[in-house]
């Protein structure tokens, strides 16, 4: 109806259209409370007493400083910011010599005269109680063959040579004689020296000696008793010396190497090798032998006689001429090459061998 009154809803709508506020329109409570708190805070700050205001400003300054320190702790300088961290353009050098503490000089007592022996061996004591102490004399080992045993150089053996366990190495040591050796020596190597003679007592008491290697010396003679009393000697190595005769050998020897010497047949005693029941390798090459030494032990496996002066051989040099069924199987290596002998003229001398000797057959 046109004359009836407007409803409350239609009245509010008309008011919003016309831009007029209506007293009954509710405002948002949260916005109003925020604005009111801000106004009250500003009013309270301006109304605070001077001391309270200063305290709050100081607290605010401290908070700002702590935040700045935290940022600096986490700051890692780089090549781009290095000039910001270290800037020496405004640095002024400071002389600190005027800040050194003053040292007052005091007179020192005169030095006490002490002899060189006292300074080395006497204990450190105050000058008022200084006493002389006699050093303890050093004792030299007396056991034969130890460090105290002098060589021809006047030095202990194990300083001139190298002693490793039961082995003694004296190679190229400019020795003229066999040096005193430790009692436990089992292997001696004294090659490339100037030894000319082996004496009877050079190996006395060395009952454990198993190998002697004296290659490339100037040995021209060996006493008969020098090697005979060595029960454990198995290898005797004497090439490139000047031996014209062999000494009496121990019965347990297995390897005898006397190559490149001046050995003659007259320098080998009759049946010198027959008693050597363990001899397996006999090397007599490059000497002055005129005949094949014998008789040879049955244990022999290798016989080298090349480059000597052998022109003939006996029928029983290797085989028994009366025992045609016998075969000497162990003796497989015989070298007679480089000798003037014609092996084809002595077929009965080697019929029992498993292999023919090496040499000339025509």
């Amino acid at each position: 109806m046109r004359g009836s009154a407007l409803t409350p809803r239609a009245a509010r709508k008309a008011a919003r259209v016309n831009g007029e506020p209506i007293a009954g329109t509710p405002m948002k409570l949260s916005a109003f409370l925020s604005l009111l708190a801000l106004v009250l805070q500003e009013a309270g700050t301006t109304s605070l007493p001077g001391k309270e205001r200063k305290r709050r400003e100081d607290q605010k300054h401290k908070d700002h400083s702590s935040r700045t320190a935290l940022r600096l702790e986490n700051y890692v300088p780089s090549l781009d910011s290095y000039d910001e961290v270290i800037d020496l353009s405004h640095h002024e050098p400071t002389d600190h010599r005027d800040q050194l503490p003053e040292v007052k000089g005091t007179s020192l007592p005169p030095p006490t005269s002490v002899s060189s022996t006292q300074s080395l061996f006497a204990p450190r004591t105050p000058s008022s109680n200084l006493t002389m102490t006699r050093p303890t004399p050093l004792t030299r080992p007396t056991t034969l063959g130890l460090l105290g045993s002098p060589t021809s150089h006047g030095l202990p053996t194990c300083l001139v040579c190298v002693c490793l366990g039961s082995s003694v190495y004296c190679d190229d040591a400019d020795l003229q004689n066999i040096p005193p050796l430790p009692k436990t020596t089992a292997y001696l190597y004294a090659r490339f020296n100037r030894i000319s003679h082996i004496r009877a007592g050079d190996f006395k008491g060395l009952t454990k000696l198993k190998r002697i290697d004296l290659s490339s010396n100037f040995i021209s003679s060996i006493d008969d008793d020098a090697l005979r009393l060595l029960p454990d000697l198995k290898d005797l190595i004497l090439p490139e010396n000047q031996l014209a005769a062999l000494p009496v050998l121990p019965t347990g020897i297995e390897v005898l190497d006397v190559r490149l010497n001046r050995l003659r047949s007259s320098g080998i005693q009759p049946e010198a090798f027959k008693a050597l029941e363990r001899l397996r390798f006999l090397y007599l090459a490059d000497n002055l032998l005129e005949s094949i030494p014998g008789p040879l032990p049955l244990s022999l496996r290798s016989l080298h006689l090349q480059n000597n002066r052998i022109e003939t051989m006996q029928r029983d040099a290797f085989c028994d001429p009366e025992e045609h069924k016998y075969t000497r199987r162990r003796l497989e290596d015989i070298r007679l090459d480089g000798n003037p002998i014609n092996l084809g003229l002595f077929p009965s001398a080697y019929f029992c061998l498993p292999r023919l000797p090496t040499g000339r057959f025509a």
Side-chain angles (χ1 to χ4, degrees):
M1 289 178 22
R2 188 178 299 272
S4 60
L6 294 175
T7 63
R9 184 177 180 182
R12 286 195 300 269
K13 184 177 180 180
R16 282 197 300 270
V17 173
N18 298 330
E20 297 177 358
I22 299 177
T25 303
M27 298 180 65
K28 289 186 178 180
L29 182 60
S30 58
F32 176 75
L33 292 177
S34 298
L35 181 59
L36 180 60
L38 182 59
V39 173
L40 293 176
Q41 182 179 1
E42 185 67 22
T45 303
T46 55
S47 61
L48 287 175
K51 292 184 179 181
E52 182 66 19
R53 187 183 306 165
K54 186 176 180 179
R55 186 183 65 80
R56 293 193 177 186
E57 290 179 358
D58 293 341
Q59 183 66 28
K60 185 177 181 181
H61 180 68
K62 290 181 180 179
D63 295 341
H64 177 73
S65 300
S66 61
R67 288 194 297 269
T68 304
L70 290 175
R71 288 197 299 271
L72 289 176
E73 289 178 358
N74 298 326
Y75 178 71
V76 179
S78 62
L79 293 176
D80 297 333
S81 62
Y82 188 76
D83 55 348
E84 299 176 3
V85 179
I86 301 177
D87 187 7
L88 300 179
S89 59
H90 301 290
H91 177 72
E92 295 182 1
T94 304
D95 189 2
H96 298 278
R97 288 178 295 180
D98 55 349
Q99 302 178 8
L100 294 176
E102 181 180 357
V103 179
K104 295 182 179 181
T106 58
S107 60
L108 297 176
T112 305
S113 176
V114 182
S115 63
S116 60
T117 306
Q118 182 177 358
S119 63
L120 289 176
F121 297 96
R124 301 289 182 176
T125 57
S127 58
S128 59
N129 298 325
L130 192 62
T131 57
M132 186 68 178
T133 303
R134 185 181 299 276
T136 303
L138 298 177
T139 59
R140 176 179 296 180
T142 57
T143 304
L144 181 63
L146 298 182
L147 288 176
S149 303
T151 63
S152 58
H153 297 274
L155 295 174
T157 300
C158 291
L159 289 182
V160 177
C161 307
V162 177
C163 301
L164 295 176
S166 60
S167 300
V168 179
Y169 299 88
C170 299
D171 294 342
D172 200 11
D174 200 27
L175 297 177
Q176 299 180 7
N177 298 293
I178 299 296
L181 300 172
K183 296 290 186 180
T184 57
T185 302
Y187 304 92
L188 170 63
Y189 300 88
R191 301 166 288 194
F192 311 106
N193 285 286
R194 296 191 296 161
I195 301 172
S196 60
H197 178 66
I198 305 298
R199 298 167 297 187
D202 284 344
F203 303 112
K204 184 178 180 180
L206 301 178
T207 57
K208 298 182 179 181
L209 199 56
K210 296 180 180 179
R211 182 182 179 91
I212 299 176
D213 191 344
L214 299 174
S215 306
S216 302
N217 277 274
F218 298 93
I219 302 172
S220 59
S221 61
I222 302 177
D223 291 348
D224 282 340
D225 293 337
L227 305 172
R228 183 171 57 89
L229 300 178
L230 299 177
D232 289 345
L233 186 63
K234 292 179 172 54
D235 301 340
L236 180 60
I237 313 300
L238 299 169
E240 298 186 45
N241 280 281
Q242 300 177 6
L243 286 172
L246 290 179
V248 178
L249 300 172
T251 57
I253 196 168
E254 298 179 2
V255 179
L256 178 61
D257 187 353
V258 201
R259 295 173 293 117
L260 295 165
N261 276 267
R262 299 177 181 180
L263 195 63
R264 296 179 178 273
S265 296
S266 59
I268 301 176
Q269 298 179 7
E271 299 186 355
F273 302 121
K274 184 178 181 179
L276 308 182
E277 298 178 354
R278 298 181 181 179
L279 184 63
R280 296 184 300 163
F281 302 94
L282 179 58
Y283 302 129
L284 301 173
D286 298 284
N287 278 282
L288 303 175
L289 299 176
E290 298 90 2
S291 61
I292 298 175
L296 299 172
L298 298 177
S299 58
L300 194 64
R301 296 178 56 184
S302 180
L303 174 63
H304 287 188
L305 294 168
Q306 66 268 33
N307 301 324
N308 277 280
R309 298 179 179 180
I310 300 174
E311 297 181 358
T312 185
M313 70 171 63
Q314 302 294 327
R315 293 180 57 191
D316 59 350
F318 305 115
C319 304
D320 185 357
E322 304 298 331
E323 185 65 42
H324 295 282
K325 296 182 179 180
Y326 170 72
T327 302
R328 193 170 186 172
R329 298 186 180 277
R330 292 185 179 180
L331 189 54
E332 298 179 346
D333 179 24
I334 299 177
R335 292 193 58 179
L336 288 167
D337 50 305
N339 286 277
I341 186 175
N342 183 1
L343 297 177
L345 301 177
F346 307 95
S348 60
Y350 46 82
F351 71 89
C352 65
L353 299 177
R355 296 181 182 179
L356 293 176
T358 302
R360 185 171 63 90
F361 283 87

